[in-house]
Structure formats: structure tokens, C-alpha cells
Amino acid sequence: MTWLITGGAGYIGAHVVRAMTEAGERTVVYDDLSTGVAERIPDGVPLVVGSTLDRALVTRAIAGHGITGVVHLAAKKQVGESVDLPLHYYHENVEGLRVLLEAVVDAGVPSFVFSSSAAVYGAPDGAPGTLVTEDTSCVPMNPYGETKLAGEWLVRAVGRAHGLATASLRYFNVAGAATPELADTGVFNLVPMVFEKLTAGEPPRIFGADYPTPDGTCVRDYIHVVDLAEAHVAAAHRLAASPGTDLTLNIGRGEGVSVREMIDRIAGITGHTLPPTITARRPGDPPSVVASADRIADTLHWKSTHDTHDMITSAWQGWLLRHPTAAGGAAGGAAGGAAGAEGADRAEEADR
């Protein structure tokens, strides 16, 4: 098959392109390069530069490259920005998806994988430690999460109406890198935010240490970007083999890690041992959001293979590639990796 990967020059997107290519699939990247980096795209993979809002260009890309499946990762994804710019987020994330789906249906493309988010769950009910299943009520707390949930509805409805095989993949907290060159270059997620603080010689911050969790700090589920990319390959193969399939799946490890635990792990790897500062809670941070990964294991026979040490180590190596002076921690920090404090990640994925 030939897969169009929208957002394929982003952090997650480039890993998906790499995994799909290694699995023997032909890929074409479609990216407006507003946050993506063209150098991330492997040699021999075509790049179409443009927005998913450009129906004519999308149509030409599908026809010109013989596209038989789409993995849609392109989206705006900063929670705070979505609160300030809801119209922009709905236009880019929902209208952009509608335009893309319209072109997909008209071209008869049979398979569509949608990049969703744990942000659709909002602050799940239940005691800390309760795993979030795909049947947990979805009550997003911000426009970003709303656009992802609306996107799932649209994808599912179009799939049912037109016989399109679909999968909506709900990412939890993404970290790590396959190679230093593919590491996250943004500073919007937990891991790079903590790296930035430590590199500047400043303590990371914990927003609230009085939650009903074992150590009082928020608990989250972290997934290595390489595992995440492999889940996309598994979903793509399932859709290609099973026309009419309709999947909604969590992508996580099913293991909660607290903010304080992540800080300790970062310190052990990077050699930066500045103790964190505790500040007031941020409004809307749920105590614990940890995925149940049973359904994806049963459905796609996929399971994560990387732990937080792998995430921290690989992310730190990528950070050092761009900030070589950051290795000045107590232990030199050459090993690599990250993850952090800066409060609990609000299910914001990295630049796709």
C-alpha cells in the first residue's frame, strides 16, 4: 500500500514514517512545515508541502501518488493556545479533517488512521490508580481535546457511511526518540520543558504535591514514541486487511508514573540534581490518568516494549545534540533521556 502521512515531518509523524517504511510500506509525507522539519523525512520519501485545508492540493497528492491509506497526524495541539484561540483550533483540526476526509472518500481510499488523544477523557472519574478504558466517559476540558473528540466522531461517521476502515488512536504522554536527530524539538511537553529548566540551571516545578496519589504528585502514563509508531503500523495493517473495521484504541503502557518519580529518574540519568520547587496546583489537572492497554493488545497484538529509562535516555541524547552544554550536570549526563516535573502533563502530545 501507499500511505499518505499528514504531519509526517513532525516529531511523532517522522517516527511513524520511519516505522511504516521499515515495515515495507510506501509513504508520502504531507506537511505544511509550520512546526515540522523537512530534514526528518527519510531519503526517497516524497514530501508535499501544504495544508489539509487545501482540498485541491490534497486531491492532487492522493491521485498523483496513488494513495491507498491515510495516517492523519497533522493538527494544532497546544492546550493553552487552544483556550485562547478556539476558532483557530476548530478550523485547523476539525475543518482540516473534514476537507481531508472529503478528498479521501471521493478518491475511494479505503483506510484511515486518525491521531487522537487522551485529552478526550478530560479528568476521568474514579479513584487514583483506576485505569482509563476506551469506554470511559469522554469529557474534554479544553478546545484541543474537544477537537480531537469531534474528530473521532467525524471519522467514525464517515467510515460507516462510506465503508471506510478507520482507527482512532488515543495517545497518552509521548516521550523519547528513535535517534537523536528525530527527538522532539518543541518545548511544549513535560520532557523538554524540564530539560529546558535544567539546562538553564533552574529547578523544575511541580504543580501541586497534595493530590490523593502515593507521593502527592500527579500520575501519568508515558509511552515511547517508537512504540507509538509501531502501534500505527499495526493499526494500518489491520485496516488494510479488514475493510470496514472501526477501531478506537488507547496507546499507553498501562503503568502510572508520578511527577516526582520522573524527576528522580531524570536526575539519575542526566546528573542534574536540582531539587524541584513545589507550587500551587494548576486548575484542571486530574490526579491520575493511566491507560488500560488491554484492548489494543487483544485487537492488534501490540504491546509497548520501552520503559521510562529508554524514554529519558533517548530524549536526553536528542536534547544534547541541540544543546551540547547541557551535559554539565553532576554526572556529566552523557547517557541521555528525560522526563519531568513542570507539573503533570495534560495529555499534550508532542509536535506530530
Side-chain angles (χ1 to χ4, degrees), residues 1 5 7 16 34 39-40 56 60-61 70 101 112 122 127 130 177 199 228 253 263 265 282 299 302 322 349:
M1 292 184 67
I5 316 294
V16 171
S34 59
E39 287 74 21
R40 286 175 170 147
R60 289 198 300 273
V70 173
L101 283 168
F112 194 94
T130 302
T199 299
L228 178 69
R253 292 189 305 129
I263 297 170
R265 295 176 191 186
R282 294 185 301 191
T299 305
W302 171 91
R322 300 185 307 279
E349 299 77 35

Side-chain angles (χ1 to χ4, degrees), residues 4 55 76 94 103 140 142 167 191 279:
L4 186 71
R55 169 61 195 278
K76 300 300 180 184
V94 180
N142 50 68
V191 169
T279 62

Side-chain angles (χ1 to χ4, degrees), residues 308-330:
T308 56
H309 184 276
D310 298 331
M311 297 177 215
I312 295 169
T313 300
S314 59
W316 183 240
Q317 289 171 344
W319 185 266
L320 290 178
L321 181 67
R322 300 185 307 279
H323 307 87
T325 60

Side-chain angles (χ1 to χ4, degrees), residues 274-322:
L274 283 173
T277 58
I278 308 299
T279 62
R281 292 187 184 190
R282 294 185 301 191
D285 272 345
S288 178
V289 184
V290 180
S292 167
D294 292 343
R295 183 176 295 180
I296 192 170
D298 292 341
T299 305
L300 301 182
H301 307 294
W302 171 91
K303 183 177 176 63
S304 63
T305 60
H306 296 81
D307 59 18
T308 56
H309 184 276
D310 298 331
M311 297 177 215
I312 295 169
T313 300
S314 59
W316 183 240
Q317 289 171 344
W319 185 266
L320 290 178
L321 181 67
R322 300 185 307 279

Side-chain angles (χ1 to χ4, degrees), residues 110-126:
S111 300
F112 194 94
V113 179
F114 176 59
S115 167
S116 189
S117 168
V120 301
Y121 294 117
D125 293 332

Side-chain angles (χ1 to χ4, degrees), residues 62 100-109 158 162 164:
I62 291 174
L100 177 62
L101 283 168
E102 188 175 61
V104 163
V105 168
D106 285 352
V109 175
V158 171
H162 298 280
L164 181 66

Side-chain angles (χ1 to χ4, degrees), residues 18-332:
R18 177 180 181 270
M20 295 282 282
T21 301
E22 290 180 349
E25 303 291 342
R26 183 170 181 268
T27 59
V28 176
V29 171
Y30 190 102
D31 199 301
D32 67 4
L33 300 183
S34 59
T35 56
V37 180
E39 287 74 21
R40 286 175 170 147
I41 301 170
D43 291 341
V45 174
L47 168 63
V48 179
V49 179
S51 167
T52 56
L53 289 159
D54 187 339
R55 169 61 195 278
L57 182 59
V58 172
T59 298
R60 289 198 300 273
I62 291 174
H65 292 279
I67 300 301
T68 54
V70 173
V71 180
H72 180 47
L73 299 105
K76 300 300 180 184
K77 44 71 57 183
Q78 294 181 45
V79 167
E81 183 180 61
S82 78
V83 174
D84 295 333
L85 302 171
L87 290 171
H88 180 57
Y89 268 66
Y90 272 85
H91 184 65
E92 291 283 338
N93 293 1
V94 180
E95 176 61 9
L97 172 60
R98 188 201 65 78
V99 171
L100 177 62
L101 283 168
E102 188 175 61
V104 163
V105 168
D106 285 352
V109 175
S111 300
F112 194 94
V113 179
F114 176 59
S115 167
S116 189
S117 168
V120 301
Y121 294 117
D125 293 332
T130 302
L131 297 182
V132 175
T133 75
E134 291 83 353
D135 298 322
T136 298
S137 296
C138 291
V139 188
M141 300 170 63
N142 50 68
Y144 167 68
E146 292 167 2
T147 65
K148 286 300 178 181
L149 185 55
E152 289 188 12
W153 293 340
L154 181 56
V155 166
R156 186 176 301 114
V158 171
R160 290 173 178 170
H162 298 280
L164 181 66
T166 64
S168 292
L169 305 181
R170 294 172 175 172
Y171 305 173
F172 279 66
N173 299 280
V174 185
T179 67
E181 293 77 14
L182 292 183
D184 190 3
T185 57
V187 190
F188 305 114
N189 302 295
L190 189 60
V191 169
M193 287 170 71
V194 174
F195 285 168
E196 184 177 55
K197 287 286 189 183
L198 296 177
T199 299
E202 301 174 6
R205 288 179 292 171
I206 295 177
F207 293 97
D210 58 350
Y211 285 93
T213 60
D215 66 15
T217 65
C218 290
V219 173
R220 296 292 182 266
D221 192 341
Y222 296 89
I223 181 73
H224 198 296
V225 68
V226 170
D227 286 330
L228 178 69
E230 293 295 340
H232 284 75
V233 174
H237 285 171
R238 173 62 182 272
L239 297 188
S242 305
T245 297
D246 173 16
L247 303 176
T248 300
L249 301 169
N250 288 337
I251 304 183
R253 292 189 305 129
E255 177 182 328
V257 180
S258 77
V259 169
R260 194 178 296 279
E261 287 174 323
M262 290 297 281
I263 297 170
D264 290 343
R265 295 176 191 186
I266 292 168
I269 289 171
T270 68
H272 289 274
T273 57
L274 283 173
T277 58
I278 308 299
T279 62
R281 292 187 184 190
R282 294 185 301 191
D285 272 345
S288 178
V289 184
V290 180
S292 167
D294 292 343
R295 183 176 295 180
I296 192 170
D298 292 341
T299 305
L300 301 182
H301 307 294
W302 171 91
K303 183 177 176 63
S304 63
T305 60
H306 296 81
D307 59 18
T308 56
H309 184 276
D310 298 331
M311 297 177 215
I312 295 169
T313 300
S314 59
W316 183 240
Q317 289 171 344
W319 185 266
L320 290 178
L321 181 67
R322 300 185 307 279
H323 307 87
T325 60

